[in-house]
């Protein structure tokens, strides 16, 4: 198990580090930390409604943070406008569902959930931009992957299972 | 080094285009796209380039899930026996996405059929060497890849080439783990010994029959009883005894062109090809098997003489 934890840490080290990307926002930008919080809440709501795992949301936020830290593609636009920020977050969610969930989330349904604010084409072209900025590194370990392994290291006791459930 | 950025502007795209139209040879048509052998103009290195295959209506669902997962997993692995993805590059249109990978002289199939000494069996030391490479790569994947709890829908059926597909998958078991891969490794082990695929089914039903013919029908097996009753199967399979020991003769230099197989080797083979996935040996345990610690020392196969 320790070797697996080490392997996961190595995996993490190979991805780009996140930075405080809000510092990159231009002076006139309307993007701030509340935007990130709002989008995280939105993802949790959608995930719960559709029966997705919360780890999909972890992945979404990892994609979002890494994309906005990357300074590549259109990431600067997303830091300067709430509209773009929202599109990036929604698209990260779309891609996270693809990598993690056993079911597909159709881009048409997603566009509907945005009430026509973004088109399917907007989401698909943003997905491309994000994948390139992330160098396609989309299967890193999630926080829960670490938690599960760490709990595994605890001396065996009956509460182990409930610990994992609580963590999830 | 910013990788994808190198290819993003129009000017740099010329580099990509000049890289692509002169493929040295067409290597292989994989599941997700065509693979080309090409020279990198910047470094003069020979690389393999794989174009991701998009559905005709790729604009409908964006980047294909299967390719996304394959790339994600390959990028997160780092093992001497696993091909590494060097970078991802794009062409002028959204459907042109390429993986740049290390290029190898030949794959196992080619090594068996076309390599020098193709007509003679591998030495047991060579088989052992290759088996260790395969198993340690597999153990690495198992330790790193997230559990296969979430196979994408529709992927279950076509996830493994028929000849290497584990029996439980043929009975549409949809929840599976690394056991399906150790089954495939068992098939490859057998193939290395006789230089021919061991279970060449012509269809799913025929594949099942061939498996039960070689390994016996799983009677009195808890796993299979449960699976069949869960599926409400009333089909009765002809009772067979295992043919494995006769097919893979132990301790003999047979005239049929089989590599020499020690009793340890046979034991490992039968544990990899266990019909019950719960009893199938894991890659990690297989590496600790006495097959590797006893008997002849491993030796790099002579592919390049």
């Amino acid at each position: 198990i320790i070797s697996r934890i080490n392997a996961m840490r190595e995996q993490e080290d190979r991805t780009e580090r996140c930075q405080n990307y809000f510092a990159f926002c231009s002076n006139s930008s309307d993007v701030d930390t509340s935007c990130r919080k709002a989008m995280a809440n939105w993802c949790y709501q959608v995930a719960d409604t559709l029966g997705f795992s919360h780890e999909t949301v972890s992945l979404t936020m990892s994609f979002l943070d890494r994309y906005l830290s990357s300074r590549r593609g259109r990431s600067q636009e997303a830091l300067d406008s709430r509209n773009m920020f929202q599109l990036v977050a929604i698209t990260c969610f779309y891609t996270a569902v693809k990598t993690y969930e056993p079911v597909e989330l159709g881009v048409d349904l997603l566009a509907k959930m945005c009430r026509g604010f973004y088109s399917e084409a907007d989401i698909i072209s943003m997905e491309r931009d994000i994948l390139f900025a992330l160098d396609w590194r989309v299967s890193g370990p999630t926080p829960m992957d670490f938690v599960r392994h760490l709990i595994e290291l605890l001396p065996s006791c009956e509460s182990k299972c409930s610990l994992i459930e609580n963590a999830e | 080094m910013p990788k994808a950025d190198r290819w993003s502007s129009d000017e740099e795209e010329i580099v990509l285009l000049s890289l692509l139209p002169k493929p040295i040879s067409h290597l292989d048509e994989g599941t997700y796209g065509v693979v080309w052998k090409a020279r990198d103009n910047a470094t003069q290195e020979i690389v393999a380039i794989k174009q991701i295959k998009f559905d005709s209506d790729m604009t409908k669902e964006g980047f294909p899930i299967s390719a996304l997962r394959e790339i994600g997993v390959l990028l997160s692995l780092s093992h001497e026996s696993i091909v590494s993805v060097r970078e991802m590059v794009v062409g002028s249109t959204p459907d042109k996405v390429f993986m740049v990978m290390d290029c190898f002289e030949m794959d196992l199939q080619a090594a068996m059929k076309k390599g020098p000494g193709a007509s003679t069996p591998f030495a047991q030391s060579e088989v052992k060497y290759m088996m260790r490479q395969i198993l340690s790569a597999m153990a690495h994947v198992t330790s790193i890849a997230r559990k296969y709890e979430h196979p994408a829908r529709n992927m279950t059926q076509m996830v493994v080439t028929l000849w290497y597909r584990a029996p439980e998958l043929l009975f549409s078991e949809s929840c599976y783990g690394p056991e399906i891969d150790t089954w495939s490794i068992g098939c490859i082990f057998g193939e290395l010994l006789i230089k021919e695929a061991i279970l060449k089914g012509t269809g799913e039903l025929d594949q099942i029959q061939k498996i039960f013919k070689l390994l016996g029908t799983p009677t009195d097996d808890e796993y299979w009883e449960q699976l069949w009753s869960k599926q409400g199967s009333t089909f009765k399979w002809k009772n067979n005894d295992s043919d494995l020991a006769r097919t893979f003769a132990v301790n003999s230099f047979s005239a049929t062109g089989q590599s020499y197989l020690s009793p340890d080797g046979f034991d490992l083979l039968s544990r990899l090809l266990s019909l019950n996935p719960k009893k199938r040996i894991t890659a990690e345990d297989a590496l600790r098997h006495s097959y590797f610690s006893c008997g002849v020392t491993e030796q790099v196969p002579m592919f390049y003489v």
Side-chain angles (χ1 to χ4, degrees):
Chain A
I1 289 167
I2 300 213
S3 75
R4 288 189 187 187
I5 293 177
N6 282 334
M8 292 198 299
R9 289 180 63 180
E10 264 173 47
Q11 263 183 295
E12 276 209 318
D13 285 343
R14 283 201 296 275
T15 60
E16 301 276 334
R17 289 292 162 108
C18 292
Q19 320 180 35
N20 176 21
Y21 47 79
F22 292 109
F24 306 148
C25 297
S26 67
N27 290 335
S28 56
S29 169
D30 55 358
V31 174
D32 55 34
T33 50
S34 72
C35 299
R36 186 182 185 278
K37 198 174 167 192
M39 287 320 292
N41 283 333
W42 179 85
C43 290
Y44 277 118
Q45 272 173 24
V46 178
D48 287 343
T49 312
L50 298 177
F52 292 162
S53 159
H54 280 186
E55 281 180 79
T56 299
V57 183
S58 304
L59 270 183
T60 306
M61 298 319 280
S62 152
F63 294 172
L64 176 71
D65 293 340
R66 276 155 52 205
Y67 177 69
L68 295 173
S69 304
S70 72
R71 318 217 69 177
R72 290 182 182 175
R74 287 147 73 192
S75 60
Q76 187 60 46
E77 291 173 46
L79 286 169
D80 289 339
S81 123
R82 287 193 173 193
N83 280 350
M84 280 293 286
F85 187 94
Q86 191 165 279
L87 174 61
V88 169
I90 288 167
T91 311
C92 286
F93 184 70
Y94 172 63
T95 309
V97 171
K98 278 189 185 180
T99 34
Y100 196 78
E101 294 292 335
V103 292
E104 289 170 43
L105 168 62
V107 73
D108 48 342
L109 177 65
L110 192 64
K112 242 180 248 167
M113 286 193 284
C114 305
R115 298 198 189 86
F117 207 76
Y118 305 108
S119 71
E120 296 178 24
D122 287 339
I123 296 171
I124 284 169
S125 87
M126 182 47 80
E127 177 184 48
R128 210 174 132 73
D129 199 59
I130 292 171
L131 286 174
F132 266 96
L134 297 184
D135 271 334
W136 261 269
R137 294 192 180 274
V138 290
S139 33
T142 63
M144 265 312 292
D145 286 331
F146 281 101
V147 171
R148 268 192 219 104
H149 281 89
L150 290 172
I151 289 179
E152 205 49 45
L153 286 177
L154 294 176
S156 79
C157 61
E158 286 173 16
S159 51
K160 240 187 195 179
C161 290
S162 69
L163 258 180
I164 294 183
E165 273 170 30
N166 277 330
E168 280 172 351
Chain B
M1 185 181 68
K3 288 168 184 168
D5 294 2
R6 229 172 76 202
W7 313 94
S8 57
S9 80
D10 282 341
E11 194 193 328
E12 280 149 354
E13 198 171 280
I14 299 164
V15 182
L16 172 66
L17 290 176
S18 63
L19 175 76
L20 285 172
K22 51 168 184 184
I24 295 170
S25 64
H26 181 250
L27 282 178
D28 182 28
E29 184 121 3
T31 321
Y32 310 123
V34 181
V35 184
W36 300 88
K37 187 172 174 181
R39 179 175 285 118
D40 186 336
N41 284 339
T43 61
Q44 297 301 309
E45 273 177 298
I46 302 293
V47 291
I49 291 194
K50 180 162 167 179
Q51 180 167 11
I52 310 293
K53 206 191 276 172
F54 286 91
D55 292 336
S56 50
D57 56 345
M58 62 80 42
T59 42
K60 248 188 122 190
E61 276 308 330
F63 206 80
I65 294 187
S66 46
L68 188 68
R69 292 185 180 197
E70 185 194 7
I71 296 164
V73 169
L74 278 179
L75 282 170
S76 70
L77 299 172
S78 125
H79 188 272
E80 53 176 10
S81 303
I82 299 176
V83 64
S84 60
V85 179
R86 298 176 168 212
E87 60 186 318
M88 302 289 304
V89 295
V90 260
S92 48
T93 52
D95 62 330
K96 289 208 179 84
V97 178
F98 308 91
M99 297 164 81
V100 181
M101 296 182 289
D102 295 340
C103 189
F104 295 95
E105 276 309 306
M106 54 182 111
D107 61 14
L108 197 51
Q109 206 82 39
M112 280 191 277
K113 300 283 179 226
K114 298 176 210 147
S119 51
T120 50
F122 288 121
Q124 55 167 333
S125 54
E126 296 175 331
V127 174
K128 199 181 272 193
Y129 179 88
M130 290 184 277
M131 281 305 291
R132 186 193 286 280
Q133 274 195 318
I134 295 170
L135 283 165
S136 75
M138 193 62 238
H140 178 71
V141 173
T142 315
S143 76
I144 276 206
R146 185 171 288 119
K147 285 206 190 101
Y148 304 63
E149 289 159 56
H150 305 295
R153 199 175 42 188
N154 304 332
M155 274 176 82
T156 323
Q157 292 306 306
M158 29 79 65
V159 70
V160 191
T161 315
L162 185 65
W163 293 350
Y164 304 90
R165 204 175 295 168
E168 64 272 21
L169 285 181
L170 291 160
F171 283 94
S172 22
E173 180 59 288
S174 56
C175 169
Y176 55 82
E179 312 88 56
I180 64 158
D181 297 311
T182 33
W183 171 274
S184 307
I185 293 176
C187 296
I188 294 169
F189 192 7
E191 187 166 344
L192 288 172
L193 294 169
I194 60 173
K195 282 201 169 178
E196 198 178 338
I198 59 169
L199 293 161
K200 295 200 273 194
T202 52
E204 294 200 3
L205 190 63
D206 186 48
Q207 188 68 25
I208 293 170
Q209 279 165 345
K210 291 214 156 70
I211 290 173
F212 288 171
K213 187 162 182 301
L214 179 66
L215 295 150
T217 318
T219 45
D220 301 327
D221 185 287
E222 214 177 301
Y223 175 86
W224 285 96
E225 273 171 15
Q226 267 179 21
L227 183 66
W228 281 331
S229 74
K230 193 175 82 188
Q231 298 180 337
S233 162
T234 49
F235 202 89
K236 286 269 175 285
W237 295 91
K238 207 176 91 190
N239 275 351
N240 271 335
D241 288 332
S242 174
D243 228 3
L244 196 66
R246 232 174 316 147
T247 315
F248 295 95
V250 165
N251 276 343
S252 76
F253 290 95
S254 67
T256 52
Q258 180 202 305
S259 298
Y260 185 88
L261 184 65
S262 64
D264 280 335
F266 180 81
D267 184 70
L268 177 59
L269 179 69
S270 57
R271 283 171 196 274
L272 288 165
L273 292 178
S274 157
L275 287 171
N276 182 336
K278 301 222 159 87
K279 291 182 183 157
R280 212 169 284 152
I281 194 168
T282 64
E284 230 166 279
D285 287 342
L287 287 167
R288 285 193 282 263
H289 191 273
S290 50
Y291 172 64
F292 290 107
S293 49
C294 309
V296 297
T297 336
E298 291 146 53
Q299 189 188 317
V300 185
M302 306 285 273
F303 291 152
Y304 306 104
V305 202

